[in-house]
Structures are given as structure tokens and as C-alpha cells.
Amino acid sequence: MKRSSGALPPLERDEARALLAAAKAGDQAARELLVRHNLFLVQKLSARFAGVEQMDDLFQVGCIGLIKSIDNFDVTQNVKFSTYAVPMIMGEIKRFIRDDGI
């Protein structure tokens, strides 16, 4: 699977936590960097459900789930970000499929 344009490799746990804390404090650059580092995760998850026709829609919905998970992640918990983000992304995709009848 080819990486999305603008996607960056996954972050180490400590790097991700530092960026998440900065994003939680209102740093938009940190938030954008987190999104770019996790685009491949969204792409992989949305590909589970998509035919070629729906891939763009599901990817966009998955990105909404990623942004919600960045905004709601609690850095004080001892949990990897991806462990929290995957169910959020999957939930957004499944909700979209259910509501729009893809």
C-alpha cells in the first residue's frame, strides 16, 4: 500500500506523547504533525472497508476520527496513542458506512 501524500513514518512513543501534550495545550503545528504521522494508520484502516470507489470518502471520515482521537487523548494514562486511536477511527468509519449505506 502506498503512503498518502504528506504522510510521515510512525512516531516513537515518547515523541508522540510530547506532541500530544503540545497539541492538548493548543499547539496547532504539533496537532498537524500528529495527523501527518498517523495518516498511514488511517489509510490502512479505511482500506479494510473500501472498494476503490469509496476509498476517498472512508479515508476522509477516518481522518476525522484521527483528529477526534488527538483532541481527546489523555496523556496521563499509560496507553499508546494508536491503541486509543484505532477504535476511534474505526468507529467513525463504521458510523459513516451505517448512516450512508455504503
Side-chain angles (χ1 to χ4, degrees):
M1 180 177 291
K2 186 180 157 204
R3 286 196 185 265
S4 297
S5 176
L8 299 173
L11 292 166
E12 294 296 321
R13 186 175 183 155
D14 293 337
E15 293 173 306
R17 285 190 153 317
L19 284 173
L20 284 160
K24 199 75 156 170
D27 184 348
Q28 290 298 318
R31 186 176 185 230
E32 183 177 332
L33 198 55
L34 280 164
V35 169
R36 291 184 60 207
H37 276 284
N38 288 286
L39 285 177
F40 191 63
L41 177 64
V42 174
Q43 187 176 17
K44 285 181 70 168
L45 294 172
S46 58
R48 289 184 183 180
F49 298 97
V52 175
E53 305 83 34
Q54 300 95 10
M55 186 61 187
D56 287 340
D57 291 337
L58 295 179
F59 180 76
Q60 288 178 13
V61 170
C63 287
I64 292 169
L66 174 61
I67 291 168
K68 285 182 179 180
S69 63
I70 290 170
D71 292 343
N72 296 325
F73 185 73
D74 184 0
V75 293
T76 62
Q77 300 295 317
N78 191 20
V79 177
K80 278 182 66 174
F81 174 70
S82 60
T83 302
Y84 180 78
V86 167
M88 293 278 290
I89 295 166
M90 295 287 283
E92 287 295 320
I93 291 171
K94 288 178 180 179
R95 185 176 305 111
F96 176 76
I97 291 170
R98 181 193 67 220
D99 293 348
D100 288 2
I102 290 183

